[in-house]
Amino acid sequence: MATATLAPTQNPHLISWVDEMAQMCKPDRIYWCEGSEEERARLTAEAIDAGVLLKLDGKKRPNSYYHRSNPNDVARSEELTFVCTPTEEESGPTNNWVEPGEMYRRLARLYDGAMRGRTMYVVPYIMGQPESPFAKVGIELTDSVYVVLNIRIMARMGKVALDRLGASDDFNRGLHSVADCDPTERFIVHFPQDNTIWSVGSGYGGNALLNKKCLALRISTYQSRQEGWLAEHMMLLEATSPSGEVHYLAGGFPSACGKTNLAMLIPPDVFTGWRIRTLGDDIVWMRIGEDGRLYAVNPEAGFFGVVPGTNSHTNPNAMRMLDRDTIFTNVALTQDGDVWWEGKDGPVPERLIDWKGRPWAKGSAEPAAHPNSRFTVPLSNNPALAPAVNDPRGVPISALIFGGRRATTIPLVLESFNWAHGVYLAGTMGSETTAAKTGAVGVLRRDPMANIPFVGYDMGTYFGHWLEMGARLARPPRIFLVNWFRKGDDGKFVWPGYGENMRVLKWIFDRCDGRAAAKETPVGWTPRTSDLEMRGLPVQAGAVEAALRVDAAEWREELRSHAEWLDHLGPTVPRSLRAQLELLDAAVETAAHARIDP
Ligand code: GTP
Ligand code: SPV
Ligand code: MN
């Protein structure tokens, strides 16, 4: 029998479930986390002793730690991720599925004795404001102290969650074991009808922090459809004009495609008096308010962000936030106890220890930091955090922005004609894959609403839910598609991105107020260059036109690919989205035949 700290709860559902899981996993010890600072320091010291964490230089980076993962375990494993609804149709063509009973049996064999010699940490947490009626309680059982310390940053963890739960049975049951960290015995499995997640064989963020992608997106998308709200893979920001007008914007970008950077944007000098503040960088939950507007909250308490490419030009706020209190995973170590990554400020060091723990020398062909190396840091470290982040009611959304990595076709910004057209543009969005998931990088795939890895039910039904949400909104947000990643003939990005994206945000902001002009194209509204603030923009003549261009030949190809995508999703795709395709196809054909530049 395992030794256990006294359970700080009398909740019979919780106690009996922990007991049952412990009998299967057979840990030596059970430890109930309470969430205090004293506990954090103690578990951190234990993690250092066990070689799981390394303390970074306390002067250069106070209260910051370094973790190196197993090299076979550095990104989300979508091919090993399952949504086990009672029927396969409910899970749909974009999720892996196995009959739930069969999957529980398969996994039970992997969990049997997996925690022998280890501690099972009981990690109670809340996603959302503790006072919010919409917050969700989850309990994660894990044998990874790294996971515990990360959840403590990413969610409200410990006693606060048990207090909120009380004697209720309404909590997410998450079971996680790194087991042997064997990719052939790795599974991330969701049982939405049981509000249960079983993950085994990985210690990586999105596979192992079950509060994040597993609960706050996959399980929450499933519940939100039944309950009439939205759970989305989005950043959330507050934009303030010089005259003090405020708009809140939410934006869906696929993994490693710019959410964190956009949410922390610092406007260029010409935007005197404008201010962007952050509410979230990865997940939003949105509900319809009494005034018929869409209200959003960030259910997280921290940032789990991409490190490479972060520097004082691309993201100065992130640089300041990472000065302290940060867990770095899979970056490189300097000889003086600090961290380094590709794209950091300053000269490249002569010598480093790379993310695999090997000596690394300047000029090496391999990167020193893994391309998906990550930081974990509390929201409160962000020097430009929006005060409304703590408002349990959330913030009213004026515009939804979607954008992937597209070398061609998609203009810098495109405003939809209406909600259904916006849902179509988001639902057919494509993006070139990144290092945030295992598998090939740079391959174009459709990623509806940037949420394809995270929608825990049938995709066509999800589109229908989006359309119904629009129909229920008295004042729906406007919907925009953006593309920071279009390339020129020289293979370089035509748009400078980062802070300069403020030029696009300002146009969006002004469109929300009915102020900015636009040009109608066959596929949506775009700005003319004269509709954008161009002063001080560091690009060559013609670059902005190239970024904004809507090309009929490219769109013909694009729409052909959309048709295949909708066919792949099958009969649940709403009729009105198929009608959108028909309309766009006809409009693009007319433009092509007219031989005018659309
Ligand atoms: P997840 O945390 O994986 O969901 O990703 P994210 O959407 O928050 O991505 P993030 O903002 O961390 O950006 C990922 C990569 O895109 C980094 O390497 C950035 O430097 C790069 N990036 C972000 N914004 C821009 C941009 O405007 N232009 C260009 N060219 N690159 C960008
Ligand atoms: C993503 O892959 O979209 C992330 C990182 O935000 S993870 O939490 O690992 O999913
Ligand atoms: Mn993400």
Side-chain angles (χ1 to χ4, degrees):
M1 212 23 224
T3 60
T5 53
L6 196 60
T9 173
Q10 315 242 300
N11 183 313
H13 315 287
L14 177 52
I15 288 174
S16 72
W17 172 68
V18 171
D19 204 44
E20 192 191 329
M21 296 300 106
Q23 281 182 28
M24 176 166 66
C25 299
K26 304 180 179 60
D28 281 13
R29 288 166 298 278
I30 298 172
Y31 177 80
W32 289 75
C33 297
E34 32 92 358
S36 69
E37 172 53 30
E38 181 278 322
E39 175 183 83
R40 187 196 66 79
R42 178 164 34 86
L43 294 182
T44 300
E46 288 175 19
I48 292 171
D49 283 346
V52 172
L53 291 183
L54 191 93
K55 185 164 173 35
L56 295 172
D57 184 283
K59 290 217 176 62
K60 294 197 182 70
R61 243 171 251 276
N63 191 30
S64 295
Y65 303 88
Y66 177 62
H67 173 76
R68 225 180 256 132
S69 77
N70 188 317
N72 77 27
D73 190 30
V74 295
R76 276 183 302 100
S77 316
E78 294 183 13
E79 68 291 356
L80 306 174
T81 300
F82 289 75
V83 175
C84 297
T85 44
T87 67
E88 185 167 8
E89 289 68 38
E90 227 184 318
S91 179
T94 60
N95 286 307
N96 298 311
W97 179 85
V98 166
E99 190 279 315
E102 163 66 18
M103 190 52 120
Y104 276 123
R105 281 189 294 278
R106 272 195 216 172
L107 295 180
R109 287 198 285 275
L110 299 180
Y111 284 115
D112 185 15
M115 296 190 186
R116 234 175 233 126
R118 303 183 189 177
T119 300
M120 174 193 265
Y121 298 91
V122 182
V123 189
Y125 63 84
I126 305 180
M127 296 308 281
Q129 265 290 315
E131 301 83 46
S132 164
F134 309 121
K136 289 184 187 298
V137 174
I139 313 286
E140 177 164 344
L141 309 180
T142 178
D143 56 9
S144 163
V145 69
Y146 168 80
V147 164
V148 176
L149 291 168
N150 273 272
I151 295 181
R152 191 181 184 277
I153 296 175
M154 296 306 297
R156 283 105 177 152
M157 187 271 261
K159 183 171 182 305
V160 64
L162 293 180
D163 287 350
R164 161 125 188 174
L165 183 64
S168 167
D169 192 19
D170 183 15
F171 61 93
N172 181 268
R173 289 157 163 78
L175 176 63
H176 170 251
S177 173
V178 181
D180 300 324
C181 200
D182 176 353
T184 67
E185 295 191 336
R186 180 173 293 161
F187 294 96
I188 298 91
V189 184
H190 308 72
F191 301 97
Q193 78 287 4
D194 298 338
N195 196 7
T196 292
I197 305 157
W198 281 15
S199 165
V200 62
S202 167
Y204 171 74
N207 295 337
L209 309 176
L210 304 185
N211 60 302
K212 194 168 167 56
K213 298 299 169 58
C214 300
L215 171 60
L217 287 176
R218 294 194 194 94
I219 297 283
S220 290
T221 48
Y222 181 91
Q223 296 176 341
S224 65
R225 185 194 156 232
Q226 296 172 334
E227 297 165 8
W229 51 284
L230 290 167
E232 296 297 322
H233 187 211
M234 289 181 175
M235 66 92 217
L236 182 58
L237 67 78
E238 173 205 74
T240 310
S241 75
S243 56
E245 297 156 297
V246 173
H247 283 295
Y248 293 98
L249 314 180
F253 295 70
S255 301
C257 290
K259 291 181 299 299
T260 305
N261 282 270
L262 188 62
M264 294 181 191
L265 181 152
I266 295 188
D269 288 345
V270 54
F271 288 88
T272 317
W274 286 85
R275 187 172 59 182
I276 302 295
R277 293 194 293 189
T278 312
L279 289 99
D281 82 329
D282 201 48
I283 297 175
V284 304
W285 289 349
M286 297 187 285
R287 287 187 161 72
I288 299 173
E290 279 167 15
D291 59 0
R293 298 166 84 187
L294 192 60
Y295 281 78
V297 297
N298 168 16
E300 303 198 274
F303 302 106
F304 182 65
V306 176
V307 180
T310 308
N311 61 50
S312 59
H313 164 71
T314 57
N315 197 341
N317 281 330
M319 288 305 283
R320 285 174 58 196
M321 143 180 121
L322 302 179
D323 275 346
R324 60 198 154 85
D325 316 321
T326 304
I327 299 174
F328 290 93
T329 301
N330 290 340
V331 295
L333 267 186
T334 65
Q335 297 192 311
D336 57 355
D338 198 8
V339 281
W340 191 85
W341 55 84
E342 275 67 26
K344 197 184 179 201
D345 295 299
V348 178
E350 295 295 330
R351 300 204 168 278
L352 295 163
I353 306 293
D354 78 2
W355 69 275
K356 289 183 179 169
R358 303 171 307 185
W360 182 96
K362 184 174 168 177
S364 167
E366 285 185 52
H370 188 274
N372 191 41
S373 49
R374 297 260 164 182
F375 56 74
T376 320
V377 68
L379 288 186
S380 54
N381 267 38
N382 182 332
L385 193 68
V389 73
N390 290 316
D391 188 335
R393 291 165 306 179
V395 294
I397 298 298
S398 301
L400 295 169
I401 307 171
F402 294 95
R405 285 180 186 261
R406 290 298 303 271
T408 67
T409 316
I410 308 300
L412 179 62
V413 54
L414 187 68
E415 181 182 349
S416 68
F417 295 125
N418 54 48
W419 182 266
H421 178 231
V423 171
Y424 176 89
L425 290 177
T428 55
M429 181 166 77
S431 191
E432 289 130 23
T433 52
T434 67
K437 76 174 206 56
T438 58
V441 166
V443 181
L444 180 66
R445 72 158 172 178
R446 297 291 146 193
D447 190 347
M449 287 73 175
N451 217 1
I452 193 165
F454 310 121
V455 175
Y457 63 100
D458 172 68
M459 191 57 76
T461 309
Y462 171 71
F463 291 169
H465 179 49
W466 262 88
L467 291 173
E468 284 167 24
M469 287 292 292
R472 287 172 50 210
L473 285 163
R475 295 158 69 189
R478 291 174 181 240
I479 299 180
F480 298 81
L481 199 60
V482 302
N483 180 18
W484 316 142
F485 300 95
R486 201 168 192 179
K487 288 181 177 169
D489 296 335
D490 58 1
K492 295 196 175 129
F493 294 127
V494 296
W495 177 252
Y498 300 106
E500 305 298 344
N501 294 335
M502 183 64 210
R503 298 169 195 275
V504 175
L505 288 189
K506 177 177 184 294
W507 184 73
I508 291 173
F509 188 105
D510 288 341
R511 291 292 290 172
C512 293
D513 287 332
R515 272 198 300 254
K519 165 170 127 174
E520 185 176 343
T521 81
V523 294
W525 299 95
T526 63
R528 300 174 194 83
T529 50
S530 56
D531 300 320
L532 292 176
E533 173 59 80
M534 297 282 281
R535 285 173 299 156
L537 181 64
V539 297
Q540 291 179 347
V544 178
E545 287 79 358
L548 285 171
R549 191 169 145 77
V550 171
D551 181 278
E554 285 183 332
W555 273 92
R556 264 182 164 166
E557 278 305 304
E558 180 72 10
L559 294 176
R560 251 194 287 279
S561 161
H562 290 183
E564 282 172 19
W565 168 240
L566 297 186
D567 285 346
H568 169 70
L569 296 182
T572 54
V573 171
R575 213 155 53 92
S576 91
L577 294 193
R578 293 191 182 275
Q580 288 289 331
L581 172 61
E582 284 296 308
L583 276 173
L584 291 173
D585 195 42
V588 167
E589 280 312 306
T590 304
H593 283 120
R595 289 172 187 236
I596 48 157
D597 187 358

